[in-house]
Amino acid sequence: MHGLYVHIPFCMRKCGYCDFASTDRWNSEDLAAYMGALAGEISRRGHEAGESLSSLYVGGGTPTVLTPALWEELFGAIHRQYSLDPDAEITVEANPGTLNEEGLRHLRLLGVNRLSLGVQSFDDRELAAMGRIHTGSQARQMVRLAAQAGFANLSIDLMQGVPEQTEDSFRSSLSEAAGLPLTHVSVYELKIEPDTAFFTRQQQGRLDLPADGVLSGMDGLREQILGEAGFGRYEISNYARPGQESRHNLLYWRNRMYTGVGLAACSRVPGKRITNTTDMVEYIRAHRDNRLPDALVEPVDRAMALEEELFLGLRLQEGIRAKDLQERHGVDLFAQYAGPIRQMTDEGLLSISGEGICLTRRGMDWANRVMTAFMR
Ligand code: SF4
């Protein structure tokens, strides 16, 4: 199994909380130069997979700023370099403010079979406070149009703990999600990152966020509303209908191999992790010089690979299976980690099944504490 991630770092407007590698300062020439460099990187990295792709994920940024011609070129470059499994999951991230029926039809024709919509909220006050370019009604409409266009596998992102949000408004966004033809919902808690507009406002005392008590109430709401609507929590922040878990993201959490192309993209290939430059000028220069845009190549030895597998696997509801750890790393889970397993089960944060270990419902809210215990 190998996945390919493609990063499109352009947005219509920078959201107040966003520290992703994305910019709203670009024109059609920048876009063309970047897409040329991206196609070059795809062809230079093609050998890393060594097998056909089980998943392709085009994320950003806002990939749906691409014109139909640029989409054709991108998929042409990918198909020249990689073969895809017949049932490969092909996801595109979309911003509800940048897509229409024609765009949806075109994505379907390209073979895209999963859409991930950056909805964030259905509440107009919250959306405006976050700096999003769409309204709640545009988001609702986009989900319906995507379903009509044949996207049977549809995901949205929601955010928790954002300015203007109350328990009621969060409940209402979750209920809207539960009533739409979705297969997957990601719910991310707002984190204030440096170099964002929210960070500056917080430093100036101008950012009003929901109080801690309100936030903890929200955790219970998402479990209840999404659970009752048939979505299972399969990862700390992710809920899916049975069998509709994100196969691409499962590659990350199961510590499998993937190639990332584009600005700031990461690859995990046997024995190393590669991180691309975050500097757009350098990214395009690397292409012109006929070299890869690597900024960092880190060797990953056996001990690091084991640590990664524990750290990532604990995020998943399925947890870590002793048999997998034995086969992949030659490690006896219950012998090597007897101390943290005992401590975390005593605290009610971890449970032991016949096959391995996983976080309890409470453990999902205290995941960092559990992970730290295993890393000591
Ligand atoms: S649309 Fe997404 S990537 Fe772009 S600025 Fe907003 S949050 Fe960041």
Side-chain angles (χ1 to χ4, degrees), residues 344-355:
M344 292 297 112
T345 45
D346 285 353
E347 290 186 27
L349 302 179
L350 197 69
S351 76
I352 299 177
S353 67
E355 299 197 321

Side-chain angles (χ1 to χ4, degrees), residues 10-11 13-15 17-18 20 22 60-62 95 120 132:
F10 303 102
C11 291
R13 186 163 75 200
K14 193 78 183 168
C15 303
Y17 55 87
C18 178
F20 300 150
S22 69
T62 305
N95 186 328
Q120 317 308 353
R132 301 293 302 187

